[in-house]
Amino acid sequence: MAHPDPYRLTGTPPVDHRDDGTGTGGVDLTRTLLWSLLVLSAAADMATSYGGTAPWINVACGVVTLLSAGTLAVRRLRGRR
């Protein structure tokens, strides 16, 4: 009984099925917005830390930064499945 060699490079390459059909060329709008929110909130958090503003503004920026980073991480881990 012959066993196929899994390391042999013959046949057609596998097709990438990650296209979601939106026609955006693979751009994920949610991911882009989350990254933008992460960068802006981290910059605002740093500016409020050094600017001497009210502590609740610093905490609010930190919470937004934490939530956007956490959401990006969860989306990345769920996307691996």
Side-chain angles (χ1 to χ4, degrees):
M1 184 170 180
H3 294 287
D5 185 8
Y7 302 106
R8 187 170 189 166
L9 298 175
T10 60
T12 59
V15 179
D16 188 10
H17 294 288
R18 288 186 276 178
D19 184 22
D20 58 359
T22 59
T24 58
V27 175
D28 186 7
L29 182 62
T30 306
R31 193 176 102 204
T32 303
L33 290 175
L34 281 171
W35 272 108
S36 300
L37 182 65
L38 177 71
V39 169
L40 290 174
S41 62
D45 190 22
M46 186 172 49
T48 58
S49 292
Y50 292 118
T53 60
W56 65 270
I57 297 173
N58 189 4
V59 171
C61 291
V63 168
V64 171
T65 302
L66 183 66
L67 288 175
S68 59
T71 304
L72 281 167
V74 168
R75 286 174 49 92
R76 171 70 177 180
L77 291 174
R78 286 189 179 170
R80 288 186 179 184
R81 294 182 189 171

